[in-house]
Amino acid sequence: MSPDMERPVKDFWRLPAEWEPQWGVQLTWPHARTDWAPMLNEITATYEEMAREIRKREELLIVGEPSNDTWARDHGFITLVDDCGHARYLDFCFNGWGEKFAAELDNAINRRLFDDGTFQGEYVDCLDFVLEGGSIESDGKGTLFTTTGCLMAPHRNQPMTQAEIEQRLKRELHVERVLWIDHGNLTGDDTDGHIDTLVRICPDDTLLYVGCDDPADEQYEELRLMEAQLSTFRTMDGKPYQLKKLPMPRPIYHDGERLPATYANFLIINDAVLCPTYAQPDLDEEAMRIIGEAFPHREIIGIDCRSIIKQHGSLHCCTMQFPRI
């Protein structure tokens, strides 16, 4: 047998980075049968602002009322692409972040959209495995970032071990390695530590991460440990990542509860980045400046997210992008 025949067929499927060109973004719209009911006008105004900015730059897919809630990041398709212009749409199970909330309607959205012809490509049923889009970050080059706090949390994929979950991630998402973050969780976070509230991968092997400089803050120690672990990570070439620390918003409370406000939950779209703001002008401006350093060729647009965090999410949580094929 010739050497060429002995080589395995190259796997061209990959999970693209979010900053790669997109054809569109999904918003699952708030309605009166969701937890947004008491503040529907307020949250609708925020969604309208997001929709306007997205629509200026790419297609906007709006899912109407067949939903339990509106967190498209966690019930939307996770998309793989190849080098020949094909797409593979992975439909994972969303179970309300470990059976905390009802999700049967959310979990049926992807199949309905695919059957309606909204997506052109291959549908892949992964519903035997719980995976939320907010729990993973891809550099588009074979490295996946995630958190042990989320993927090893109860009522997701037990009794699978961490090693077994990692193998499943590699197989389904066609990544070469998984970097697990073992520390960091925001007070008020329902997700058990989604990575998109803590650490985001950016071009040029840059990691934007949430930091805390106040030792009296209840989140200080976990975020300090997370920062220390990030400094040990290396790229596939063995080089350290460029680390850029985002500020921590001053505490925001609603009904006596601290909300998980974070600047890490930004949304990358074509030619722009939508950044959460919290009516804290000094910190909002600093966060947008730092995000702008990581994305120097994109417009940085602030979106007031004080409405969204009342339900414990922010911009990235509300959206799911789809790569251009």
Side-chain angles (χ1 to χ4, degrees):
M1 182 180 290
S2 71
D4 286 341
M5 293 178 66
E6 292 175 355
R7 294 193 190 104
V9 176
K10 182 171 175 56
D11 179 3
F12 287 105
W13 292 109
R14 66 181 185 89
L15 180 62
E18 188 171 320
W19 59 82
E20 297 183 37
Q22 302 171 8
W23 72 257
V25 169
Q26 176 179 330
L27 287 174
T28 302
W29 207 259
H31 56 86
R33 292 188 298 280
T34 64
D35 290 341
W36 296 114
M39 49 175 291
L40 194 55
N41 289 339
E42 180 183 1
I43 190 61
T44 298
T46 304
Y47 266 64
E48 288 172 346
E49 185 177 4
M50 283 192 288
R52 281 192 295 270
E53 295 297 339
I54 294 167
R55 190 63 187 89
K56 289 177 185 177
R57 298 164 178 88
E58 55 194 274
E59 296 298 322
L60 178 63
L61 171 62
I62 294 179
V63 175
E65 298 193 8
S67 67
N68 301 99
D69 216 324
T70 57
W71 307 109
R73 178 64 46 180
D74 297 334
H75 62 244
F77 277 123
I78 294 173
T79 312
L80 304 183
V81 298
D82 70 4
D83 294 339
C84 301
H86 303 128
R88 179 178 283 181
Y89 297 100
L90 308 186
D91 191 6
F92 289 97
C93 177
F94 173 58
N95 71 348
W97 309 291
E99 300 176 352
K100 296 182 182 75
F101 305 95
E104 70 282 352
L105 298 178
D106 297 340
N107 217 33
I109 289 172
N110 291 339
R111 183 80 242 192
R112 293 181 63 176
L113 289 173
F114 191 87
D115 288 346
D116 286 345
T118 302
F119 296 93
Q120 301 300 312
E122 178 187 356
Y123 174 91
V124 181
D125 186 339
C126 302
L127 292 169
D128 63 334
F129 187 75
V130 176
L131 184 67
E132 299 129 23
S135 70
I136 56 173
E137 281 276 304
S138 171
D139 68 354
K141 300 182 293 185
T143 298
L144 188 78
F145 295 79
T146 191
T147 65
T148 53
C150 177
L151 266 67
M152 298 303 296
H155 307 294
R156 280 178 167 86
N157 290 304
Q158 284 75 19
M160 293 179 72
T161 66
Q162 183 171 334
E164 290 170 336
I165 289 174
E166 178 167 324
Q167 284 304 114
R168 182 69 185 263
L169 293 173
K170 288 179 178 178
R171 184 171 75 248
E172 300 291 1
L173 300 176
H174 294 252
V175 295
E176 296 181 41
R177 64 176 188 154
V178 179
L179 294 182
W180 294 82
I181 297 170
D182 300 314
H183 303 281
N185 191 40
L186 302 182
T187 303
D189 175 25
D190 292 326
T191 70
D192 302 302
H194 269 186
I195 194 169
D196 69 353
T197 66
L198 299 167
V199 182
R200 303 293 303 281
I201 180 69
C202 306
D204 301 318
D205 295 322
T206 299
L207 299 179
L208 290 184
Y209 68 98
V210 174
C212 181
D213 297 324
D214 180 7
D217 192 300
E218 60 193 309
Q219 303 170 135
Y220 173 81
E221 182 61 16
E222 273 292 296
L223 294 177
R224 185 191 68 80
L225 291 170
M226 182 185 77
E227 180 181 47
Q229 185 179 18
L230 293 178
S231 70
T232 70
F233 286 171
R234 294 295 181 267
T235 67
M236 291 236 207
D237 297 330
K239 299 175 182 177
Y241 286 91
Q242 299 183 63
L243 302 182
K244 291 181 178 290
K245 183 166 72 172
L246 292 166
M248 171 66 64
R250 286 181 283 273
I252 301 173
Y253 295 88
H254 180 64
D255 291 338
E257 176 186 33
R258 184 172 179 175
L259 302 175
T262 172
Y263 291 111
N265 206 252
F266 54 83
L267 174 68
I268 308 164
I269 57 177
N270 293 338
D271 301 318
V273 181
L274 305 187
C275 303
T277 63
Y278 301 101
Q280 300 179 13
D282 56 336
L283 296 177
D284 293 346
E285 182 178 340
E286 181 184 0
M288 292 175 66
R289 176 185 61 79
I290 295 168
I291 292 169
E293 291 175 356
F295 296 94
H297 304 297
R298 295 176 193 252
E299 185 179 3
I300 309 300
I301 301 166
I303 302 285
D304 189 335
C305 287
R306 287 175 294 169
S307 59
I308 308 177
I309 60 167
K310 289 178 182 177
Q311 288 295 330
H312 309 273
S314 201
L315 291 178
H316 199 250
C317 303
C318 298
T319 57
M320 176 53 83
Q321 80 284 340
F322 302 108
R324 185 181 300 161
I325 310 303

